[in-house]
């Protein structure tokens, strides 16, 4: 019979010795509460009357789902009064949300993708919430520019996966821990201590519909995987694409793999350098991957060293099993 360790029990030891451990614990529990509420809305789906399009676009020019906006509002509602935040930046908001004066302004900034993979929501596919916490030391209210810190400045990052189980996966820079939501008790219980990405894999994850637009290094890598044991890799590969970064990254943290969302000729024609956003997708997921023994790279540099120039900046993404990412980096050079 293993000892039942709740998220609160885990935090009591994991953040020991860190600056403002109490504050970080309070922030993590507030984020977890927001995720529990968003999970409940996702779980009730059509019955909660929250599926379907919202009839408007976000700053990315992407159609927003009703749940994108609701999840964003729930996240703000559940975290703004925890006393630890100075501001919240979100995929669903053009600019950051400043914590109102009636609440204590704290020493952290948080970026969030409130409902990643929302195109899956109407077909009951995997979705999730991704978050990244950065330090904030000024007394005054933050500006958007205060969020523009490289991924190696993060103090906490994680995601909540809404799938067969609801799981919270987090890192404070001391490894990666996974928690499963106990629906009866309404609390997260440690179920995946010290998650590690296998160094090797035979499974890649990419949207192959865009193959005709890929640049040579990606095309070479995928062609070699597809060529299987008859090709230069001398082994067969499998492919998985969840349509939600949280679903794909979680699978890779559990069993290995390599996730790719490269830039391509199609995107570059419209001035984009990738699809995924640096501040609230690539940075938090990249830190989790590195903390689990994997790698996270843009093809030009480690994701965590990219100096952001705007809140909604996009980057090319390759992350997962170290040996495969190393091969991809070599192909890019
Ligand atoms: P595509 C979801 O919209 C997302 O941002 C990621 O979660 C996911 O990996 C990717 O886009 C899916 O993109 O082009 O396959 O729909």
């Amino acid at each position: 019979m293993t000892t039942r360790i709740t998220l609160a029990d885990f935090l009591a030891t994991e953040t020991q010795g860190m600056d403002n451990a109490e504050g970080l614990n309070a922030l993590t529990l507030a984020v977890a509460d927001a995720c529990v509420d968003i999970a409940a809305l996702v779980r009730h789906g059509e019955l909660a009357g929250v599926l379907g399009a919202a009839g408007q676009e976000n700053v990315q020019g992407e159609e927003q789902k009703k749940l994108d906006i609701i999840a964003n509002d729930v996240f703000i509602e559940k975290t703004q009064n925890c006393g630890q935040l100075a501001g919240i930046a979100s995929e669903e908001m053009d600019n950051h949300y400043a914590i109102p004066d009636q609440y204590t302004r704290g020493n952290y900034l948080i970026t969030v993708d409130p409902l990643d993979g929302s195109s899956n929501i109407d077909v009951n596919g995997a979705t999730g919430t991704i978050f990244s916490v950065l330090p904030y030391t000024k007394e005054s209210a933050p500006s958007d520019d205060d969020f523009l810190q490289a991924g190696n400045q993060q103090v906490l990052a994680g995601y909540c996966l809404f799938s067969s189980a609801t799981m919270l996966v987090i890192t404070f820079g001391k490894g990666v821990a996974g928690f499963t939501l106990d629906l009866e008790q309404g609390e997260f219980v440690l179920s995946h201590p010290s998650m590690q990405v296998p160094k090797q894999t035979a499974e890649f994850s990419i949207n192959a519909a865009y193959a005709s637009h890929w640049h040579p290094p990606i095309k070479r890598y995928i062609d070699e995987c597809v060529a299987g044991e008859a090709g230069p890799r001398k082994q067969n590969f499998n492919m998985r694409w969840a349509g939600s970064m949280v679903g794909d990254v979680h699978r890779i943290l559990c069993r290995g793999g390599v996730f790719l969302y490269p830039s391509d000729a199609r995107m570059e024609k419209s001035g984009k350098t990738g699809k995924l956003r640096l501040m609230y997708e690539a940075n938090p997921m990249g830190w989790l991957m590195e903390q689990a023994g994997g790698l996270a790279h843009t093809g030009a540099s480690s994701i965590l060293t990219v100096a952001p120039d705007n809140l909604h900046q996009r980057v090319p993404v390759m992350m997962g099993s170290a040996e495969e990412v190393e091969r991809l980096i070599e192909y890019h050079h």
Side-chain angles (χ1 to χ4, degrees):
M1 167 72 178
T2 53
T3 313
R4 178 189 176 91
I5 298 173
T6 66
L7 176 61
D9 300 333
F10 174 82
L11 292 173
T13 54
E14 184 73 2
T15 58
Q16 251 172 5
M18 293 178 72
D19 289 347
N20 190 15
E22 299 252 310
L24 266 179
N25 293 352
L27 174 55
T28 308
L29 291 170
V31 170
D33 284 349
C35 292
V36 168
D37 284 10
I38 297 169
L41 286 167
V42 168
R43 195 178 308 119
H44 288 98
E46 195 55 48
L47 299 182
V50 294
L51 299 188
Q56 59 190 54
E57 288 185 345
N58 63 18
V59 65
Q60 332 280 346
E62 293 164 339
E63 176 202 73
Q64 284 179 306
K65 299 288 187 185
K66 285 181 204 159
L67 254 182
D68 279 320
I69 296 167
I70 296 167
N72 189 66
D73 294 347
V74 167
F75 193 90
I76 290 173
E77 189 52 39
K78 299 295 279 190
T79 58
Q80 66 177 341
N81 59 353
C82 73
Q84 305 305 323
L85 291 175
I88 302 171
S90 162
E91 179 182 65
E92 304 309 331
M93 302 187 294
D94 298 6
N95 303 103
H96 80 279
Y97 172 86
I99 300 303
D101 291 342
Q102 71 253 41
Y103 300 123
T104 306
R105 183 185 300 140
N107 299 313
Y108 301 105
L109 302 172
I110 196 164
T111 69
V112 62
D113 181 354
L115 196 66
D116 170 67
S118 55
S119 59
N120 281 350
I121 200 67
D122 296 341
V123 295
N124 200 14
T127 54
T129 297
I130 310 173
F131 57 91
S132 167
V133 175
L134 295 161
Y136 182 68
T137 53
K138 296 179 188 170
E139 287 303 314
S140 57
S143 66
D144 281 358
D145 287 352
D146 290 310
F147 286 79
L148 303 184
Q149 302 177 45
N152 53 28
Q153 299 303 302
Q154 295 173 95
V155 292
L156 161 64
Y159 60 79
C160 192
L161 169 63
F162 312 126
S163 184
S164 0
T166 296
M167 279 195 67
L168 181 71
V169 176
I170 58 173
T171 185
F172 291 95
K174 299 177 171 178
V176 176
F179 302 80
T180 300
L181 181 62
D182 174 339
L183 284 174
E184 281 73 44
Q185 303 298 321
E187 62 185 358
F188 282 107
V189 179
L190 185 64
S191 53
H192 296 64
S194 306
M195 297 179 83
Q196 284 293 308
V197 183
K199 299 289 183 208
Q200 298 176 335
T201 183
E203 190 162 77
F204 65 89
S205 186
I206 194 167
N207 184 334
Y210 306 131
S212 61
H213 305 290
W214 293 337
H215 291 312
I218 299 295
K219 184 137 181 48
R220 174 185 174 190
Y221 177 79
I222 299 296
D223 285 349
E224 290 180 353
C225 290
V226 170
E229 54 196 16
R233 300 300 306 273
K234 302 193 185 329
Q235 67 172 75
N236 293 325
F237 279 73
N238 189 33
M239 193 193 99
R240 284 284 183 276
W241 186 250
S244 157
M245 187 182 196
V246 177
D248 284 314
V249 164
H250 185 73
R251 185 192 60 255
I252 292 168
L253 282 171
C254 292
R255 73 183 192 207
V258 60
F259 175 86
L260 302 105
Y261 210 117
S263 179
D264 64 34
R266 161 191 61 108
M267 290 177 204
E268 285 149 15
K269 269 198 209 103
S270 56
K272 290 179 184 162
T273 52
K275 172 169 187 187
L276 302 180
R277 275 64 50 141
L278 175 65
M279 298 308 295
Y280 38 81
E281 289 174 320
N283 271 343
M285 295 311 219
W287 196 29
L288 285 164
M289 279 294 175
E290 293 205 352
Q291 281 292 309
L295 290 174
H297 210 269
T298 65
S301 75
S302 158
I303 284 174
L304 301 185
T305 62
V306 174
D309 56 35
N310 80 74
L311 269 186
H312 303 289
Q313 171 176 349
R314 299 169 189 266
V315 288
V317 170
M318 326 186 293
M319 58 172 72
S321 294
E323 288 190 15
E324 293 306 307
V325 178
E326 283 162 355
R327 177 183 290 268
L328 277 154
I329 294 167
E330 187 194 317
Y331 288 5
H332 278 76
H333 292 158

